[in-house]
Amino acid sequence: MRVYPSFVLGAALAACGGGGDDAAAIDADPGDDANAGDAAAAIDAAAVDAPAGTGNFSFFVTSLDTMRLQSGSQNGFGGNLGGLAGADAICQTAAAAVGFGHKTWRAFLSVYNNGAPIHAIDRIGNGPWYDRQGRLVAMDRAGLLMQRPAGDAAVVNDLPDETGQGTRRLGDTHDVMTGSNTLGQLDGTSAANTCNDWTSVQGPGTENLVRCGHAWPAMSGMHWIQAHRLRGCEPGINLVQNGGGTGYSVGAGGGWGAIYCFALQP
């Protein structure tokens, strides 16, 4: 197995204009289309052996670092993840960067799919699911589909990224894109409710249409799948608590347009 240490990720981020964990709002720039493939190739060349253990790793929130790195943009992907296939590839790449690319990973996202919805909950297997440190997230779907998953309290109240760290340490980071309701099913009646099935970075006209959950409980919502709707589908990052935020980006309300990722087998 292979893992990319933090200094390798940092170097690759710097190469593509990335930064650190900026506790500040970053203006959305849909035109920022730096080549993410070159950056991904750069960290692949610098991979090292993964540590032993934690073989049941099967859940994470995509980190700020991986979303910047894979998108080739300081502002992340926005609502254009390349559809479900692209979102799954984001999960797969993030997992591979910490030594778990041999598992099959799926993004917890729903899509309208021309009126034949594909629901997030039907994409992720049956559990159990564990974080990078081997801590329980949920034993099964029933335990998962609660306001906070029925797992280790330290995990479920600050859902961790692929490194096993919670994101709250970075600031106002709770918003995670799902396009789903509390049952893990499509929340909406058209592709507009999923940033055109995760292929659009449109800003104006997409306000309050796309559902997000909260990686940690907040005043604006407690549920990890269905908390409130995003301000829009543009790329953008905001780590400052400023209410609902400003602009039309996926990160305006607090975050960077992260997604949840699950391995089909623990």
Side-chain angles (χ1 to χ4, degrees):
M1 294 187 293
R2 291 148 66 89
V3 61
Y4 307 98
S6 58
F7 71 84
V8 173
L9 288 173
L13 283 167
C16 66
D21 298 327
D22 308 6
I26 299 177
D27 292 336
D29 182 6
D32 185 351
D33 58 355
N35 191 326
D38 291 344
I43 64 169
D44 185 65
V48 297
D49 288 340
T54 64
N56 56 5
F57 174 42
S58 43
F59 168 85
F60 63 91
V61 180
T62 53
S63 67
L64 173 58
D65 281 356
T66 200
M67 296 303 268
R68 281 175 162 170
L69 179 61
Q70 293 193 53
S71 67
S73 168
Q74 278 283 82
N75 293 322
F77 287 95
N80 184 5
L81 306 174
L84 282 182
D88 290 343
I90 291 168
C91 290
Q92 198 75 40
T93 299
V98 292
F100 287 85
H102 61 286
K103 296 190 175 188
T104 300
W105 294 84
R106 293 289 181 263
F108 188 86
L109 294 169
S110 296
V111 294
Y112 178 67
N113 191 38
N114 295 315
I118 298 172
H119 304 301
I121 193 63
D122 296 330
R123 310 191 71 243
I124 62 170
N126 296 309
W129 300 280
Y130 301 85
D131 84 328
R132 180 67 180 81
Q133 298 183 44
R135 300 172 296 181
L136 179 67
V137 176
M139 283 298 299
D140 51 29
R141 289 192 183 188
L144 189 66
L145 293 176
M146 300 178 69
Q147 184 176 72
R148 306 305 302 175
D152 187 311
V155 175
V156 302
N157 289 316
D158 190 5
L159 293 170
D161 64 22
E162 67 272 12
T163 71
Q165 300 181 85
T167 66
R168 195 168 187 172
R169 73 193 191 281
L170 304 179
D172 195 32
T173 62
H174 42 60
D175 288 359
V176 179
M177 301 189 298
T178 66
S180 304
N181 61 24
T182 58
L183 297 178
Q185 299 174 346
L186 175 69
D187 181 68
T189 57
S190 77
N193 299 115
T194 58
C195 294
N196 198 27
D197 285 353
W198 314 112
T199 63
S200 172
V201 292
Q202 181 180 342
T206 61
E207 307 97 314
N208 301 313
L209 292 174
V210 181
R211 184 68 68 177
C212 72
H214 277 177
W216 44 269
M219 292 295 291
S220 55
M222 303 287 286
H223 207 287
W224 74 277
I225 304 175
Q226 178 181 314
H228 58 80
R229 290 187 171 89
L230 299 171
R231 290 189 61 89
C233 295
E234 285 183 357
I237 297 168
N238 179 25
L239 306 182
V240 175
Q241 174 54 257
N242 59 351
T246 60
Y248 303 98
S249 80
V250 295
W256 49 82
I259 57 176
Y260 296 119
C261 300
F262 289 79
L264 294 184
Q265 298 292 333

